Amino acid sequence: MPEFADLPATQYLRGSRHERASVGSWKKPNIVGAPVFKSYPDAPSIALPTVWSPTEERIQPFLQQRRSIRKFSDQPLPFAALAFMLWAAQGVTGRAGEYLFRAAPSAGALYPVETYCAIERVAGVPPGLYHFSVRNFQLERVRYGAFGEHIALACLGQQFMRQAAVNFIWTAVLRRNFQKYGNRGLRYIFLDAGHICQNLLLAAGAVRGGGCPVAAFFDDEINEIVGIDGCEESALYLASVGLKP
Ligand SMILES: Cc1cc2nc3c(=O)[nH]c(=O)nc-3n(C[C@H](O)[C@H](O)[C@H](O)COP(=O)(O)O)c2cc1C
């Protein structure tokens, strides 16, 4: 097995980066699309019931109302709301001896994904880039400053990111996963990130907030903002979040 920097998985990550220098000449691949829905018209079908039990009804509104929003209130996000979202995303929810399980599942319980928050407007918290310490349930300030503008530029100029109360950035510490799964681990890392982001967005709905996931970004620029090298640790995914207008 080659060292992890030479794995096809690592090379794929590198080779599929968005780069500012080449994005202007990027062309849609010449690939024929496919219909959004698949069906088996000749198959016998059974209608599904849509009556939910009381416990199902408790979770239903959050799933029903989750929608990507790209407009945010200019009110600050309460600190407790941010804490709830972080807990929902990656908070510790179980223990087996020294081992800590989290709100979102992770392949092999390896938890390769790290959460950073670029805070613009959170009540009582100075703007800055913070790392979520899962073990201590704390924010660790990596650096002071408002990064919304910079992040929006690094995300191909997506303007709504400038208005977010918080831009979350998820990265992966690749070795954590690759030491066990090698190339296949890349699949698991992105799946882990999807679970985490969805938990966070559902939690945002519960605190009168909402947000939008973002995967279009110049990789090197987001890595630079976070202060990671893009090899040992690399940005995967972002979400802009704020209170609903
Ligand atoms: C992996 C992924 C990447 C996305 N990247 C972006 C993005 O860069 N910019 C954006 O505005 N929306 C982005 N979205 C949001 C989608 O556009 C949105 O989920 C889709 O239009 C469906 O709408 P809904 O989320 O409101 O149901 C992304 C969603 C996913 C799941």
Side-chain angles (χ1 to χ4, degrees):
M1 171 78 75
E3 176 49 351
F4 99 108
D6 303 321
L7 289 174
T10 321
Q11 286 169 12
Y12 171 77
L13 263 188
R14 259 202 310 277
S16 58
R17 281 177 303 185
H18 275 320
E19 287 176 316
R20 199 173 279 279
S22 55
V23 75
S25 55
W26 189 84
K27 287 199 177 57
K28 252 184 136 174
N30 190 15
I31 296 170
V32 177
V36 177
F37 295 105
K38 184 170 177 181
S39 73
Y40 293 82
D42 299 328
S45 55
I46 309 171
L48 292 163
T50 54
V51 179
W52 317 125
S53 72
T55 37
E56 289 158 353
E57 272 176 359
R58 282 162 57 190
I59 189 172
Q60 189 271 349
F62 300 108
L63 294 165
Q64 175 74 47
Q65 287 158 26
R66 187 218 55 82
R67 192 93 292 135
S68 295
I69 64 162
R70 299 173 181 84
K71 283 198 168 62
F72 305 106
S73 157
D74 52 18
Q75 293 298 307
L77 189 70
F79 188 39
L82 173 65
F84 180 64
M85 286 186 240
L86 289 168
W87 174 82
Q90 288 199 296
V92 173
T93 51
R95 189 180 280 271
E98 290 298 290
Y99 215 80
L100 303 178
F101 294 104
R102 306 188 189 179
S106 173
L110 295 173
Y111 305 108
V113 177
E114 296 290 332
T115 300
Y116 295 84
C117 336
I119 291 182
E120 298 287 316
R121 277 188 320 286
V122 174
V125 185
L129 180 79
Y130 294 82
H131 171 251
F132 173 41
S133 165
V134 171
R135 189 168 32 197
N136 301 321
F137 201 59
Q138 288 175 347
L139 288 178
E140 298 166 332
R141 193 176 55 241
V142 178
R143 74 183 69 97
Y144 274 124
F147 293 92
E149 184 91 36
H150 200 166
I151 289 173
L153 281 174
C155 292
L156 281 65
Q158 301 194 65
Q159 292 304 307
F160 66 90
M161 303 188 80
R162 297 168 57 199
Q163 261 78 56
V166 181
N167 284 299
F168 293 89
I169 304 174
W170 287 288
T171 69
V173 177
L174 297 163
R175 279 178 198 275
R176 248 181 236 160
N177 179 286
F178 286 2
Q179 56 87 22
K180 179 168 182 189
Y181 295 118
N183 284 312
R184 195 170 177 84
L186 189 60
R187 301 175 185 229
Y188 303 156
I189 285 171
F190 283 102
L191 294 170
D192 279 18
H195 292 300
I196 290 166
C197 179
Q198 175 75 346
N199 276 15
L200 186 131
L201 292 172
L202 291 174
V207 296
R208 293 184 301 110
C212 182
V214 172
F217 58 90
F218 295 118
D219 301 65
D220 294 346
E221 296 182 21
I222 294 292
N223 288 333
E224 197 186 319
I225 290 168
V226 179
I228 54 178
D229 67 356
C231 181
E232 290 289 330
E233 183 173 351
S234 191
L236 303 172
Y237 204 16
L238 296 94
S240 295
V241 169
L243 293 176
K244 286 187 175 151

